[in-house]
Amino acid sequence: MRTIRLEKGVVITIDQSRLPMKLVFLKLKNYKQVAVAIKEMKIRGAPLIGVAAAFGLALTALHSKTMLRAQLIYELEQAAETLRSTRPTAVNLSWALDRVMRRTYKTKGGVNEVKRAVINEALKMAEEDVQTNLTIGRNGAQLLVDGDVVLTHCNPGSFGTVEHGTALSVIRVAVQNRKRIKVIATETRPQLQGARLTTFELKQDGIPVTLITDSMVGYVMANHMVDKVVVGADRVLRTGYVINKIGTYTIAVLAKAHNIPFLVATPFSTIDLKTKVADVVIEQRDPNEVLTFLGQRVAPPTTLALNPAFDITPPEYVTAFITEKGILSPSEIS
Ligand code: MRU
């Protein structure tokens, strides 16, 4: 199922914050609504927030009333800045905005030509995301063998992309190829993407999934219950550093300690060849997400809490990257 569509002048997408209790569709009419949905994590997952941001620019182009090319470009630039400021870590967001803006500047002609170019570029990016993730699935499925138990973290699934997912695409294709794969999904505190979304997707597909709390990863590995780890990424640096959901680094260190392959399924749109590891901005979210559980306060008043949304895994913990261009070692990323 497609997670996002541009239809009749609105962006239609699923409110991921309500799943699995409620399946609510959002109809976003302008880039400001798209920006709020990204910030509040109703739309989430690196590839999906990139495409959603591109659709935000498409809405701006669609609904602009100006007859002046320069004014349209100004409106698009304003929209791009608002969308860019929503979440700092996943590089797909700025990658998508830069790509649409580049196309805008390059397009010759008047307002109508620019509008058409912006909308077409956004739609093209959504289609590419589908194809890319299918190719990632096909490439990665070769690394899984019949009977494997795969541990995954957060939701590197359809919900985080336009369709198929990244790490879950690898699992889905392996299952389509008649390999019997079982999945262990971490709950992924504090937003519970694993418990709420990954289990939901895999159950829909009939793929066996067992949920664990994040602190059970060492236990399942020490008890030989995991054959491979496959995760997604929010940013991969040319040096092979992986920025992904908080807890990924812990899983990678444990995987190495137990000799378990640690695989990162990622499209090239997530690879950032420019930024140095020291300059990566890790999103710090509201500590209340940690101080509460499903809306209920769990810590005494005045307790302090940290809430970094992502962590950084050094390349020595990564066995391989599964990309649309093939399987790459960390040193092959650049
Ligand atoms: O904060 P989120 O839910 O947007 O974080 C998403 C992740 O960390 C995913 O692991 C990543 O985007 C995988 S690719 C879909």
Side-chain angles (χ1 to χ4, degrees), residues 13-270:
T13 189
I14 296 166
D15 181 348
Q16 297 188 38
S17 66
R18 307 288 297 275
L19 285 169
M21 285 38 149
K22 280 215 158 78
L23 182 60
V24 177
F25 286 92
L26 300 172
K27 287 188 177 168
L28 308 171
K29 299 190 184 78
N30 53 51
Y31 78 86
K32 286 188 179 152
Q33 292 183 355
V34 174
V36 170
I38 295 174
K39 208 173 176 62
E40 294 180 352
M41 291 180 66
K42 293 177 173 168
I43 301 174
R44 52 145 296 281
L48 185 64
I49 62 175
V51 171
F55 279 9
L57 293 183
L59 287 180
T60 307
L62 261 171
H63 300 304
S64 173
K65 296 204 167 37
T66 186
M67 302 301 282
L68 301 172
R69 179 193 157 96
Q71 172 63 21
L72 175 60
I73 291 179
Y74 173 74
E75 288 171 18
L76 288 164
E77 285 169 343
Q78 295 292 303
E81 280 330 294
T82 302
L83 289 158
R84 200 186 298 275
S85 68
T86 52
R87 296 193 75 191
T89 306
V91 78
N92 305 63
L93 189 62
S94 47
W95 168 83
L97 292 166
D98 290 345
R99 180 167 151 180
V100 176
M101 290 312 294
R102 260 199 315 275
R103 179 79 194 271
T104 304
Y105 299 130
K106 269 195 195 149
T107 300
K108 296 200 168 63
V111 162
N112 289 337
E113 283 74 20
V114 174
K115 283 186 173 187
R116 212 171 304 126
V118 169
I119 296 160
N120 287 344
E121 192 70 10
L123 292 172
K124 191 169 155 206
M125 287 164 79
E127 292 312 310
E128 279 175 18
D129 184 84
V130 176
Q131 286 315 313
T132 297
N133 287 318
L134 197 54
T135 310
I136 287 174
R138 289 182 181 139
N139 290 341
Q142 298 164 30
L143 301 177
L144 302 188
V145 298
D146 188 30
D148 267 352
V149 177
V150 177
L151 184 140
T152 193
H153 186 53
C154 194
N155 174 253
S158 294
F159 288 126
T161 61
V162 179
E163 207 179 352
H164 305 300
T166 52
L168 293 200
S169 181
V170 171
I171 292 164
R172 286 191 166 105
V173 175
V175 170
Q176 280 155 18
N177 293 345
R178 300 186 179 282
K179 293 176 187 168
R180 284 160 295 185
I181 307 294
K182 290 183 182 161
V183 178
I184 293 182
T186 52
E187 66 174 350
T188 320
R189 271 278 282 159
Q191 291 262 347
L192 304 177
Q193 292 94 326
R196 297 187 300 103
L197 307 174
T198 298
T199 53
F200 182 88
E201 280 192 32
L202 292 171
K203 288 190 86 59
Q204 294 278 316
D205 284 1
I207 299 173
V209 55
T210 302
L211 180 66
I212 60 169
T213 63
D214 301 323
S215 49
M216 291 177 196
V217 172
Y219 173 89
V220 292
M221 288 186 178
N223 285 285
H224 311 289
M225 294 159 80
V226 180
D227 297 300
K228 276 154 198 148
V229 175
V230 189
V231 294
D234 287 79
R235 194 186 281 245
V236 174
L237 306 185
R238 72 178 322 147
T239 41
Y241 281 83
V242 177
I243 295 93
N244 191 46
K245 180 52 55 195
I246 189 76
T248 304
Y249 173 47
T250 319
I251 297 171
V253 173
L254 280 163
K256 195 175 172 95
H258 291 93
N259 257 322
I260 296 168
F262 182 87
L263 305 163
V264 180
T266 185
F268 264 74
S269 55
T270 303

Side-chain angles (χ1 to χ4, degrees), residues 5-12 27-29 59 62-63:
R5 293 195 315 273
L6 182 61
E7 221 173 79
K8 295 182 185 151
V10 291
V11 169
I12 302 172
K27 287 188 177 168
L28 308 171
K29 299 190 184 78
L59 287 180
L62 261 171
H63 300 304

